[in-house]
Amino acid sequence: MERQIERDLLEEALGANEAASGPIPQSLRDEAAALFRRVRSAPELQGEDG
């Protein structure tokens, strides 16, 4: 439940930002997604099981 509330608040903040600044260009969205994937798969963030 807590995670859903956090996601809802993030979605609201992103919507407000987009309304104020315009949409985020797809190239920046793609760059952010690639960075997130690299960080998420970083070995130092993996548990002992891999």
Side-chain angles (χ1 to χ4, degrees):
M1 183 68 160
E2 185 177 328
R3 230 176 241 196
Q4 184 61 48
I5 292 170
E6 289 174 351
R7 288 179 186 198
D8 291 346
L9 291 173
L10 177 58
E11 187 65 35
E12 185 178 323
L14 290 172
N17 183 61
E18 188 170 306
S21 304
I24 299 170
Q26 188 61 47
S27 61
L28 289 179
R29 289 177 181 261
D30 293 343
E31 184 179 339
L35 176 60
F36 180 78
R37 284 191 300 272
R38 283 196 311 272
V39 168
R40 191 168 179 201
S41 64
E44 58 269 18
L45 298 179
Q46 304 304 310
E48 291 183 22
D49 296 336

